[in-house]
Amino acid sequence: MSKEVESSKGNSLDTIKLLASIGVLVATLIGYYTYDQAHAVVRVLGLVAGVLVSLFILYQTAKGKSWFQYLNLAKREVRQVVWPTRPETVQMTLIVFVVVILMGIFLWLIDMFFLWAVKLLTGQG
């Protein structure tokens, strides 16, 4: 029974922290646009500080920790990708350009054939 009470308290506390994080983020954005007469550096620093505070509060929740864990796993997966070298990228780009040009010519010829056929069938050509 006590585990259920602790779970519901933790869940409601997470909800409060999540709402606080969203509130800080919204207040930061409102402040950024409200104080438009302030120097741009001050406004940007305030925006960055507000976003960092919001992310810190978000990280304190279970859902926030799972989101950050997902981002870390995604970053690890990106590091494992075998990226093509520059010559491979240039070669594939040239192949794509050539295929696009050839397909354009092919479709233009098909269009010209159908135009000739329609003119022939309608008696205009």
Side-chain angles (χ1 to χ4, degrees):
M1 184 83 168
S2 66
K3 288 184 180 179
E4 291 177 9
V5 172
E6 288 176 13
S7 175
S8 67
K9 283 184 181 178
N11 194 14
S12 63
L13 188 59
D14 274 357
T15 304
I16 291 170
K17 288 179 184 177
L18 188 60
L19 291 175
S21 174
I22 293 171
V24 168
L25 186 62
V26 169
T28 300
L29 290 173
I30 290 172
Y32 179 81
Y33 289 110
T34 301
Y35 295 108
D36 57 346
Q37 71 278 6
H39 196 275
V41 173
V42 174
R43 290 174 57 209
V44 169
L45 287 176
L47 182 70
V48 169
V51 168
L52 289 177
V53 168
S54 177
L55 288 175
F56 177 74
I57 295 170
L58 178 67
Y59 185 73
Q60 302 303 316
T61 65
K63 188 175 287 280
K65 285 182 182 176
S66 69
W67 288 348
F68 282 101
Q69 183 181 14
Y70 172 76
L71 289 176
N72 281 335
L73 292 174
K75 191 167 71 171
R76 187 180 311 157
E77 287 292 326
V78 167
R79 277 192 238 128
Q80 292 177 354
V81 171
V82 178
W83 297 101
T85 62
R86 183 176 177 88
E88 291 172 340
T89 305
V90 170
Q91 183 181 12
M92 291 305 293
T93 304
L94 290 175
I95 289 171
V96 168
F97 281 146
V98 168
V99 169
V100 166
I101 289 170
L102 290 176
M103 286 303 297
I105 292 170
F106 174 72
L107 292 173
W108 175 68
L109 290 173
I110 296 289
D111 183 52
M112 295 302 290
F113 170 74
F114 282 128
L115 181 65
W116 171 77
V118 167
K119 282 185 178 182
L120 187 67
L121 290 173
T122 58
Q124 296 179 358

